[in-house]
């Protein structure tokens, strides 16, 4: 496995490959990331992983400074999962002085996580568009864990005619159902136990829906009641059209059930799709 430190090195490496699968990450890698790398390695002769904690997707009071940085372990995980190369740009390479250009996906970026994290998706779409242009990948791999991100990036790829295929992979979970996240390492023992509440709440909505309940006026309170027992503060819990992210009265189409909640001071997200 090669470590590529500059954009020029990525371009030179890319030139020698036929097809490339690309897995963009912010590091602090875990089995969720490994599943994307393995999938890319199965689909493509070469897989590039990027590790970059993108400052423009963090708000002023968020965890940019304390976001976990574990590059040595990340490189080992990438290699074990089948990556061919890892790109580790620094901030000055991605955002040199004078940087002024942004990619914005209207409306979809303002809802759910976008309403509590203003500017977050503008940072995500911009850095991913830049990384796509640098990596020139054939396929790029993202997790369903970040459902809104995947939806917005799909829109961006389609709207801007970006010449690659976007593949969304299932959420990898702990044995008790907690979705793996780099931020789970912020949780203390008590918080870790309570963090499972997000999954429990989603599982209850899935259960009710399977049993025939389609009214969101019934599903939504069930979601919130369980969350209230586990989390310290709810950011949002929404049942929305999985394509437009608009609220629904009835689950009569593919529907995203999405949660963001604080356990202690850690903000966790999770989601499920029902009505497919
Ligand atoms: P991040 O490093 O948090 O920016 O995540 C990089 C990629 O890994 C994104 O496409 C995430 O959706 C994906 N990812 C993060 N956690 C998981 C998980 N538990 N299961 C599957 N994919 C994940």
């Amino acid at each position: 496995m090669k470590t590529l430190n500059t954009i020029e090195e990525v371009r030179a490496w890319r030139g020698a490959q036929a097809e490339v699968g690309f897995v963009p990450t912010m590091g602090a890698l875990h089995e969720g990331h490994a599943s994307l790398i393995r999938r890319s390695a199965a689909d493509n002769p070469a897989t590039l992983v990027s590790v970059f904690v993108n400052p423009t997707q963090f708000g002023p009071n968020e965890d940019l400074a304390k976001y976990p940085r574990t590059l040595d372990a990340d490189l080992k995980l990438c290699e074990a999962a089948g990556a061919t190369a890892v790109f580790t740009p620094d901030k000055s390479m991605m955002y040199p002085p004078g940087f002024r250009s942004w990619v914005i996906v209207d409306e979809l970026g303002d809802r759910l996580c976008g309403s509590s994290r203003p500017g977050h998706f503008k940072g995500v779409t911009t850095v991913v568009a830049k990384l796509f242009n640098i990596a020139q990948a054939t396929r790029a791999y993202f997790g369903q864990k970040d459902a809104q991100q995947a939806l917005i990036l799909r829109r961006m790829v389609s709207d801007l005619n970006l010449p690659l295929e976007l593949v969304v992979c299932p959420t990898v979970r702990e044995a008790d159902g907690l979705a793996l996240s780099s931020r789970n390492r912020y949780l203390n023992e008590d918080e870790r136990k309570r963090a499972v509440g997000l999954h429990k709440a989603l599982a209850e909505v899935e259960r009710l829906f399977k049993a025939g309940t389609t009214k969101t006026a019934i599903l939504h309170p069930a979601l919130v009641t369980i969350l209230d027992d586990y989390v310290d503060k709810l950011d949002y819990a929404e049942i929305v059209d999985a394509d437009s992210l608009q609220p629904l009265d009835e689950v009569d189409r593919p529907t995203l059930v999405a949660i963001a909640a604080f356990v202690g001071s850690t903000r966790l997200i999770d989601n499920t799709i029902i009505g497919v």
Side-chain angles (χ1 to χ4, degrees):
M1 189 181 75
K2 270 193 160 13
T3 304
L4 309 169
N5 297 310
T6 66
I7 294 168
E8 293 69 31
E9 283 171 22
V10 177
R11 293 210 190 281
W13 174 85
R14 175 63 183 97
Q17 317 299 322
E19 296 197 333
V20 167
F22 178 43
V23 183
T25 80
M26 297 208 299
L29 301 182
H30 50 64
E31 265 304 302
H33 301 107
S35 73
L36 304 183
I37 299 169
R38 281 195 292 266
R39 172 70 195 274
S40 173
D43 291 354
N44 303 278
T47 288
L48 175 69
V49 179
S50 64
V51 174
F52 178 57
V53 183
N54 174 38
T56 63
Q57 69 189 69
F58 288 79
N61 299 316
E62 294 184 355
D63 57 344
L64 173 63
K66 74 162 188 172
Y67 197 84
R69 286 153 171 93
T70 59
L71 187 59
D72 289 346
D74 292 349
L75 293 175
K76 289 195 181 99
L77 181 145
C78 288
E79 184 147 38
T84 321
V86 179
F87 176 39
T88 57
D90 63 25
K91 191 178 144 192
S92 64
M93 257 174 236
M94 296 300 282
Y95 299 103
F99 183 91
R100 290 288 180 278
S101 307
W102 300 93
V103 177
I104 295 169
V105 174
D106 264 347
E107 289 172 27
L108 295 176
D110 299 330
R111 307 220 56 247
L112 305 178
C113 284
S115 84
S116 45
R117 304 183 71 188
H120 168 69
F121 287 111
K122 172 183 167 188
V124 171
T125 43
T126 299
V127 80
V128 171
K130 284 170 66 68
L131 289 167
F132 281 178
N133 283 331
I134 294 165
Q136 306 270 312
T138 321
R139 298 176 192 86
Y141 296 80
F142 295 88
Q144 180 61 29
K145 156 89 180 351
D146 299 277
Q148 186 178 11
Q149 170 174 285
L151 178 73
I152 288 172
L153 292 176
R154 223 183 246 305
R155 193 73 250 162
M156 176 183 85
V157 166
S158 168
D159 289 352
L160 300 183
N161 309 97
L162 302 185
L164 86 174
E165 181 192 342
L166 202 140
V167 182
V168 180
C169 303
T171 301
V172 177
R173 297 177 180 281
E174 300 280 7
D176 66 355
L178 173 66
L180 297 194
S181 163
S182 304
R183 292 188 168 97
N184 290 353
R185 65 187 80 197
Y186 299 150
L187 302 168
N188 67 28
E189 204 179 324
D190 164 63
E191 290 164 351
R192 169 63 189 83
K193 282 188 194 140
R194 291 189 290 115
V196 75
L198 280 80
H199 172 67
K200 282 200 188 298
L202 294 169
E204 175 62 4
V205 170
E206 286 172 352
R207 192 191 67 76
L208 288 169
F209 177 70
K210 276 197 193 116
T213 307
T214 56
K215 300 269 182 235
T216 58
I218 298 173
L219 296 170
H220 190 266
L223 186 65
V224 173
T225 303
I226 297 191
L227 285 167
D228 279 346
D229 285 344
Y230 287 89
V231 308
D232 294 302
K233 190 170 142 244
L234 191 57
D235 182 350
Y236 65 78
E238 292 204 38
I239 303 178
V240 296
D241 180 302
D243 293 317
S244 68
L245 304 181
Q246 292 303 317
L248 291 174
D249 294 331
E250 181 101 35
V251 181
D252 56 1
R253 67 197 82 181
T255 298
L256 175 68
V257 186
I259 300 169
F262 287 88
V263 180
S265 58
T266 303
R267 184 176 177 279
L268 299 174
I269 60 171
D270 202 348
N271 70 85
T272 187
I273 306 261
I274 57 175
V276 182

